[in-house]
Every structure is written in structure tokens, then in C-alpha cells.
């Protein structure tokens, strides 16, 4: 039976994941506890390890969230009367 951690790529220590995300180690552990990052406990000290693929997926999710927020803000800034062809034009070209 294949090892599931091997199929997900390398495992990173929380410090390495924190450095990649530019956050604290405590923030990385909190992301694991929230289920936003996949982590496993390994070794006798039961230390956390985070899969590289999980980190990549988390960064992709952040980028998608930022994209959606930007689109939402853009749509909120639009003047709907201008789009419908009624009302004054606020910013004529």
C-alpha cells in the first residue's frame, strides 16, 4: 500500500512553512488546527510536519480569495445607473 505522505511530496517543519508564508510558527500551527493546512504529527516528540502540496494549495486559495475580493470591490465601485444607461455619468471619459 502506498504511503500517503509520499504521494503528497516533501514534509516541511512548521518553521520552514512559516518562513515560506511569512508568518509565525504559531500561525502555522493555528492554520493546521483550523484545517486550512494539512499537517501530521511525527516522531517521538509528536512534532508537526506540513506537506508541500498543502502549502501550495493554501497559497493558491489565498490568491483566489484575493482575486475574488478585488472583483467584488471593482463591481461595488461601478455605477449601476451608468451601466443601465440611466442617470448621470459620474466619471465621463
Amino acid at each position: 500500500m502506498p504511503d500517503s505522505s509520499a504521494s503528497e511530496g516533501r514534509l516541511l517543519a512548521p518553521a520552514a512553512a512559516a518562513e515560506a508564508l511569512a508568518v509565525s510558527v504559531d500561525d502555522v500551527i493555528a492554520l493546521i488546527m483550523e484545517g486550512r493546512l494539512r499537517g501530521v504529527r511525527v516522531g517521538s516528540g509528536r512534532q508537526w510536519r506540513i506537506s508541500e502540496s498543502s502549502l501550495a494549495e493554501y497559497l493558491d486559495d489565498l490568491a483566489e480569495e484575493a482575486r475574488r475580493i478585488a472583483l467584488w470591490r471593482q463591481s461595488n465601485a461601478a455605477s449601476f445607473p451608468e451601466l443601465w444607461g440611466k442617470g448621470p455619468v459620474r466619471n465621463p471619459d
Side-chain angles (χ1 to χ4, degrees):
M1 178 175 358
D3 184 9
S4 63
S5 63
S7 65
E8 292 186 354
R10 244 175 32 141
L11 295 177
L12 303 172
E19 185 178 335
L21 295 174
V23 299
S24 71
V25 174
D26 291 337
D27 290 338
V28 170
I29 301 301
L31 289 169
I32 294 169
M33 296 302 187
E34 292 169 7
R36 297 182 74 186
L37 282 177
R38 286 188 314 275
V40 294
R41 292 195 137 205
V42 297
S44 59
R46 306 286 294 157
Q47 296 179 358
W48 284 105
R49 294 294 180 261
I50 299 97
S51 70
E52 269 187 336
S53 63
S54 174
L55 199 60
E57 288 172 16
Y58 175 73
L59 290 172
D60 287 345
D61 290 346
L62 286 181
E64 177 63 17
E65 183 179 347
R67 185 188 73 80
R68 288 179 183 213
I69 288 171
L71 288 173
W72 177 255
R73 287 183 180 152
Q74 203 174 31
S75 71
N76 280 341
S79 172
F80 289 106
E82 289 174 4
L83 295 176
W84 297 331
K86 300 177 184 175
V89 175
R90 285 190 269 172
N91 300 316
D93 289 331

